[in-house]
Amino acid sequence: MPNHHVHLKIETFTSVDSLNNLIQKHQWPATITAGLQTPEVFPRTMRFKHGEDEIAYLIAVCNLAPTDNILDSQVLLDPLIIVSEPEQLTFLVYEESASATEIQQLYETTLFNSNEGLIACFLLKIYSNYRVKLAHIKEQLEEIEAQSTETTKNEYLIEIKNIKKEAVILEHTLDTQHQALERLFKLAEFTDNLADEAMIYNIKTAERQITKLIAIYRDLIEAISGLFTDIMSNHLNHLMKYLDSAALVISVPSLIAGLWGMNTGGLPGEHTKFGFLMMIIVSLVLALITWRILRSKKYND
């Protein structure tokens, strides 16, 4: 393990109540838990006085729970709290959260001279997880687009709806998190102790790229959704043309049969055994002529 100047502590909680117990034990502000049950609006940064002279700050952020199933459009937000004190860096994460493993791996594989170095690297890791999720969404959209010319099954429309919902969740979560990080980067306690000044630029760049990708994919979702609507309308138009054409073709022999079925005298073939056959032949010929006319006019195309 690298020789660290960071005293890391990872504590887990299972609910808001258990998190409140941890906060009370450390004598941190009770408002830390505000919004935990609505992760989309949970991210924030706050500075507080801990003890007589120590100034500490905390960051509430949302990581993403990793998934290997690219067909799963669900976004699983993983809220956590980072508390940086002069002598200790504490991460409060949900029990069985993948964030704990990611934090521990960063700590064991990289040398950090300050709390801020580990925090910055973990923030980059969070945006890396967002990028992986967006890559999954892109693959789903490409698959749906490929199928759009062959089928308009409801399952694809439902999938588009689910992807759109998750994209909205990502967009608003990142917007709230952006405000929290902007507040963090203005704290002297953070910027003065961050050895690598380029890390802030890297975090902002990663954040900007993810935000832009979400905007692009939302536009793609709208485009594909509109494509499905247009294809369904086109299929319906072709079906109606076919049915109208078929109705016209059938109406011709129906009209002739109706005329021949009148209980009046003077109909051709009334007194011959070939009358019925004549009526059938005339009906078929006129129906065929009608079909040829409609086909030449492209009415049934």
Side-chain angles (χ1 to χ4, degrees):
M1 178 184 296
N3 182 19
H4 284 288
H5 297 284
V6 176
H7 299 285
L8 174 67
K9 188 174 184 180
I10 301 175
E11 298 197 35
T12 60
F13 58 90
T14 57
S15 64
V16 175
D17 290 337
S18 64
L19 178 57
N20 282 327
N21 292 335
L22 288 174
I23 293 170
Q24 187 175 4
K25 181 183 73 173
H26 291 287
Q27 297 182 342
W28 291 333
T31 55
I32 290 178
T33 59
L36 181 64
Q37 294 176 317
T38 51
E40 298 85 358
V41 296
F42 181 59
R44 66 188 178 281
T45 297
M46 60 182 294
R47 183 174 178 267
F48 62 96
K49 191 173 182 179
H50 190 220
E52 295 183 359
D53 301 316
E54 291 184 349
I55 298 297
Y57 62 89
L58 67 88
I59 318 157
V61 293
C62 278
N63 196 2
L64 283 184
T67 175
D68 294 328
N69 183 11
I70 64 172
L71 299 180
D72 182 10
S73 63
Q74 186 177 10
V75 171
L76 300 175
L77 296 175
D78 183 15
L80 59 109
I81 299 170
I82 308 169
V83 182
S84 178
E85 300 171 285
E87 301 299 328
Q88 182 169 288
L89 178 63
T90 307
F91 284 79
L92 303 175
V93 301
Y94 267 111
E95 193 174 52
E96 300 181 355
S97 167
S99 295
T101 303
E102 293 174 346
I103 297 162
Q104 194 64 43
Q105 287 177 347
L106 283 174
Y107 184 75
E108 293 177 355
T109 57
T110 309
L111 176 62
F112 299 106
N113 294 318
S114 66
N115 294 351
E116 289 68 27
L118 178 52
I119 293 172
C121 282
F122 182 65
L123 290 175
L124 282 175
K125 177 60 179 175
I126 287 177
Y127 284 111
S128 175
N129 292 339
Y130 277 91
R131 190 182 296 274
V132 171
K133 184 60 185 178
L134 289 175
H136 290 176
I137 290 178
K138 180 182 179 183
E139 292 186 36
Q140 288 177 280
L141 291 175
E142 289 176 348
E143 174 65 20
I144 294 173
E145 185 179 13
Q147 295 293 332
S148 64
T149 57
E150 300 177 7
T151 180
T152 54
K153 291 182 179 179
N154 287 339
E155 61 183 275
Y156 290 106
L157 296 175
I158 294 173
E159 190 172 350
I160 290 175
K161 183 263 295 181
N162 291 336
I163 294 175
K164 186 174 182 178
K165 181 186 73 173
E166 303 305 332
V168 170
I169 291 175
L170 283 175
E171 183 178 20
H172 287 279
T173 302
L174 285 170
D175 180 62
T176 309
Q177 194 151 285
H178 167 76
Q179 298 175 37
L181 294 185
E182 285 296 304
R183 166 69 175 156
L184 173 67
F185 298 150
K186 292 178 181 179
L187 291 181
E189 290 80 8
F190 181 83
T191 56
D192 292 348
N193 295 322
L194 188 61
D196 187 1
E197 296 180 357
M199 288 296 291
I200 293 180
Y201 173 79
N202 293 338
I203 295 171
K204 288 184 175 181
T205 300
E207 178 191 25
R208 184 170 60 252
Q209 290 174 345
I210 297 301
T211 303
K212 186 65 176 177
L213 283 174
I214 290 178
I216 291 172
Y217 293 158
R218 283 201 64 184
D219 288 344
L220 285 175
I221 292 169
E222 295 293 340
I224 293 174
S225 179
L227 177 62
F228 262 85
T229 302
D230 293 341
I231 290 175
M232 292 179 69
S233 297
N234 189 51
H235 285 177
L236 181 61
N237 288 338
H238 277 279
L239 176 61
M240 292 307 298
K241 287 180 181 179
Y242 173 80
L243 293 177
D244 289 343
S245 298
L248 284 173
V249 171
I250 294 173
S251 67
V252 174
S254 298
L255 175 62
I256 296 174
L259 293 174
W260 246 281
M262 292 181 179
N263 295 321
T264 57
L267 290 175
E270 181 181 4
H271 301 293
T272 174
K273 62 180 180 179
F274 298 108
F276 178 76
L277 181 61
M278 290 170 55
M279 185 268 293
I280 294 296
I281 293 174
V282 170
S283 298
L284 290 177
V285 169
L286 292 178
L288 181 61
I289 292 173
T290 304
W291 174 77
R292 292 291 298 179
I293 292 173
L294 291 174
R295 183 176 177 83
S296 65
K297 297 294 185 180
K298 305 293 183 181
Y299 290 149
N300 65 336
D301 197 1

